[in-house]
């Protein structure tokens, strides 16, 4: 019976592995996500694998040898438990396949890139240099941050580009 198996790719070669597996007529699934990352001081949209270094292949190892998968360009191997490859649970794969955008095929993240209570640093505007706590997204390009100044904690609304993750 065909099931989904996790494939480990070589670093930053998920797409190469996917392309080469498809060329060998394997059914593959590489979940992708659209993120905003700060590159060269500006926020830019980038499309990256949802699980870096992992993709999935749909195969029946009792019928088709997995040897060619392991030796495919871009592939480091299959996920194993001991000496045995184990399928990804059906519920996990069903969730991944159903939660992607039907038009683009991308998984949609938290658009701000931050989670509640993440530590952030303000890099623009009058609060530049202050550290705070991410509170929530407000619209497409605004965020609410908790900043401590004037002797108390204040909720401040800032441009999305005005904050970065705080250095630990």
């Amino acid at each position: 019976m065909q099931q989904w198996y996790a494939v480990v790719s070589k670093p930053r070669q998920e797409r190469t592995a996917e392309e080469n597996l498809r060329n060998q007529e394997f059914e593959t699934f590489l979940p992708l996500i659209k993120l905003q990352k700060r590159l060269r001081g500006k926020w830019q949209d980038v499309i990256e694998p949802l699980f870096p270094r992992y993709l999935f292949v749909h195969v029946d190892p009792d019928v088709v040898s997995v040897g060619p998968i392991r030796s495919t360009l871009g592939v480091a191997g299959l996920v194993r438990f001991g000496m045995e490859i184990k399928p990804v649970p059906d519920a996990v794969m069903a969730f991944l396949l159903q939660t992607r955008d039907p038009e683009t095929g991308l998984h949609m993240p938290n658009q701000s890139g931050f989670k509640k209570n993440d530590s952030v640093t303000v890099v623009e505007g009058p609060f530049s240099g202050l550290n705070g706590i991410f509170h929530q997204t407000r619209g497409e390009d605004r965020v609410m941050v908790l900043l401590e100044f004037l002797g108390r904690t204040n909720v401040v609304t800032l441009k999305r580009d005005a904050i970065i993750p705080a250095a630990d």
Side-chain angles (χ1 to χ4, degrees):
M1 176 170 88
Q2 280 197 335
Q3 291 186 293
W4 288 99
Y5 292 87
V7 175
V8 182
S9 75
K10 293 181 180 173
R12 301 185 197 278
Q13 292 191 31
E14 300 90 353
R15 292 180 189 179
T16 300
E18 179 189 34
E19 181 181 339
N20 288 311
L21 287 168
R22 283 192 177 168
N23 287 342
Q24 297 175 64
E25 299 184 6
F26 286 105
E27 181 182 356
T28 63
F29 176 55
L30 175 60
L32 298 172
I33 190 167
K34 185 177 181 179
L35 299 170
Q36 285 195 330
K37 285 196 168 184
R38 197 165 179 99
L39 302 171
R40 294 181 287 289
K42 296 191 179 189
W43 289 99
Q44 296 180 11
D45 288 335
V46 294
I47 296 175
E48 294 185 348
L50 181 61
F51 307 109
R53 294 199 62 193
Y54 291 92
L55 63 147
F56 303 95
V57 64
H58 199 220
V59 67
D60 183 348
D62 295 330
V63 176
V64 178
S65 171
V66 294
I69 295 172
R70 292 191 317 256
S71 62
T72 298
L73 185 65
V75 171
L78 288 153
V79 172
R80 294 180 177 275
F81 295 94
M83 296 300 292
E84 203 175 321
I85 61 170
K86 293 280 188 184
V88 177
D90 291 336
V92 172
M93 289 308 301
F95 176 78
L96 289 172
L97 292 165
Q98 292 169 359
T99 56
R100 58 188 172 159
D101 184 285
E103 292 180 20
T104 64
L106 299 174
H107 290 268
M108 304 311 287
N110 169 359
Q111 292 299 314
S112 71
F114 296 99
K115 297 185 304 268
K116 188 171 181 132
N117 297 327
D118 280 353
S119 295
V120 297
T121 300
V122 180
V123 293
E124 291 179 12
F127 303 110
S128 183
L130 291 178
N131 288 329
I133 304 294
F134 179 80
H135 185 62
Q136 69 184 41
T137 301
R138 185 165 191 175
E140 283 187 30
D141 60 349
R142 312 291 285 170
V143 294
M144 294 174 72
V145 176
L146 301 173
L147 295 176
E148 193 162 320
F149 62 93
L150 301 176
R152 65 187 181 112
T153 301
N154 298 278
V155 177
V156 179
T157 302
L158 302 167
K159 291 187 330 185
R160 163 71 178 87
D161 294 352
I163 61 171
I164 61 171
D168 290 333

